[in-house]
Amino acid sequence: MSDAPLVLCADDDGDILALVALRLERAGYEVVTAGDGDAALALARARVPSVAVLDVMMPRRTGLEVLAELRTDPVFVSLKVILLSARVQEADMERGIDAGADAYFPKPFKASELVDAVQALLNP
Amino acid sequence: MHAYAIGIVGAIVAALVLMRLAGLVRVVERSRRDERLARQEAEQAQHLLADQNEQLVELDRLKDEFVSSVSHELRTPLTSISGYVELMLEDETHEETRAHLAIVERNAQRLLGLVTDLLFTAQLQEGRLELERAEVDLAQLATQALQSARPRAEVAGVNLELDVSDVPQIAGEPVRLAQLLDNLISNAIKFTPADGHVRVGLHARGGVVCLEVSDTGIGISDAERERLFERFFRSQGALERQIQGTGLGLYISKAIVEAHNGWIAVESTEGKGTTFIVELPVST
């Protein structure tokens, strides 16, 4: 076990998931990954991460649904959530922020900027 | 006898009149029937037209939905392409490999630009250009747009000039106005040969802010000027010189200007250059 903050990454696109995980690991975080919404929710409950990076359009449960679920649970009161999505219209982003996301990254995003955002959310 | 003759003549006349009347009734009936048939046919044609119209509207909606969903789908692989290239560029020290990776990245960005334009065009077709208005300093936006265009201009050997006088702020959406400036400046650079000039002018006149982007480029023929703002229109000059583009930039630019209650026009002389003139009202 390390003292590094735990980040949960969820995306049904394995390449993006591996990229984000690698970037965050290189930046010194402990990373757990999930390939769909259900797995993300289960992993969040099992490991209680400091940050969750969730893709919006995932099978079984969308990132927005996972987010809504997490926001009802007091265990996750200090959890920071970043949404990733290829849906880039303003309305989509607003929906994400309204649902309780701390940041919204439209795809394609710069992985280095995502890492910066994780850092900024953990050290405000 | 006389009365008898009169009776016969009368009967003949009456018969003739009756026959004529019967004929007239037939004619009237036939024309009524024709009219009814014609009305039925017209109604059928109208139904058919309405059906076809409905199908067309539905097809148009499906097409826009298709473009929109394809645009979204294209963003996901682009995320991986750009993301892994960025990663490799950080680790790579070999100059030639770095140069090749930079080419991949540049093309991924080009593809992204295309996807973004397509998505925006689909939105326009759905009539969904809603502006989030704020006070916009066009002079500042123009300076920034020129700044980000500078590397491209340098590669093309084109000189960029900015000529800005004091202009009032306008009520508009900064992102869209930046897109407008970027479109016009990018176009001007693309269509201007090396050692040419691109000038961005900004001044106030009456209740409007006037933006002019002029170049010393290849120009546009009168015939083509008419079609310049059409969706997917590409000029002969652009095709012959293999100047890259989708034919969406000016279509989008015009939509942005009009959403701001403004006006856009173009003046051009073939072989000499082109000037785009945009007028945006100060308060809308």
Side-chain angles (χ1 to χ4, degrees), chain B residues 176-194:
Chain B
R176 296 295 167 221
L177 291 170
Q179 190 181 4
L180 167 73
L181 279 158
D182 184 54
N183 279 353
L184 294 179
I185 294 169
S186 299
N187 257 1
I189 294 171
K190 277 198 287 189
F191 289 94
T192 303

Side-chain angles (χ1 to χ4, degrees), chain B residues 139-151:
Chain B
Q140 194 191 351
L141 278 188
T143 309
Q144 284 166 353
L146 222 60
Q147 200 60 40
S148 61
R150 214 163 277 288

Side-chain angles (χ1 to χ4, degrees), chain A residues 47-83:
Chain A
R47 300 290 306 271
V48 192
S50 308
V51 180
V53 179
L54 307 171
D55 179 35
V56 171
M57 297 217 267
M58 282 188 294
R60 282 190 261 286
R61 227 182 261 263
T62 69
L64 283 174
E65 286 165 346
V66 175
L67 171 61
E69 201 60 37
L70 294 174
R71 286 292 180 234
T72 60
D73 190 336
V75 169
F76 300 108
V77 69
S78 62
L79 172 77
K80 304 292 183 193
V81 176
I82 297 176
L83 290 177

Side-chain angles (χ1 to χ4, degrees), chain B residues 44-112:
Chain B
Q44 276 173 356
Q46 222 162 15
H47 279 304
L48 196 69
L49 254 174
D51 282 354
Q52 282 177 341
N53 204 26
E54 220 166 273
Q55 280 175 8
L56 276 177
V57 169
E58 174 65 8
L59 266 179
D60 203 46
R61 198 188 57 76
L62 282 175
K63 180 207 70 191
D64 291 336
E65 209 177 87
F66 174 74
V67 171
S68 168
S69 106
V70 165
S71 305
H72 289 133
E73 290 307 318
L74 285 171
R75 289 178 168 271
T76 302
L78 275 172
T79 307
S80 283
I81 296 173
S82 286
Y84 283 97
V85 166
E86 189 192 10
L87 199 65
M88 288 163 84
L89 270 170
E90 278 172 25
D91 298 341
E92 184 60 58
T93 52
H94 187 252
E95 269 315 306
E96 201 180 346
T97 309
R98 288 185 60 85
H100 293 166
L101 286 171
I103 291 171
V104 176
E105 173 57 16
R106 197 176 68 229
N107 280 278
Q109 289 305 320
R110 212 174 104 197
L111 198 52
L112 175 63

Side-chain angles (χ1 to χ4, degrees), chain A residues 6-11 14 16-22 24-25 30-36 39-40 43 47 53:
Chain A
L6 181 67
V7 182
L8 162 68
C9 299
D11 198 314
I16 295 178
L17 188 59
L19 177 72
V20 171
L22 178 62
L24 288 166
E25 276 164 5
E30 193 190 346
V31 180
V32 287
T33 59
D36 65 52
L43 205 52
R47 300 290 306 271
V53 179

Side-chain angles (χ1 to χ4, degrees), chain B residues 222-238:
Chain B
D222 287 348
E224 288 198 313
R225 212 172 45 201
E226 305 276 312
R227 306 189 49 205
L228 211 53
F229 295 101
E230 284 175 20
R231 194 162 49 131
F232 297 118
F233 176 75
R234 308 241 31 229
S235 71
Q236 206 51 42

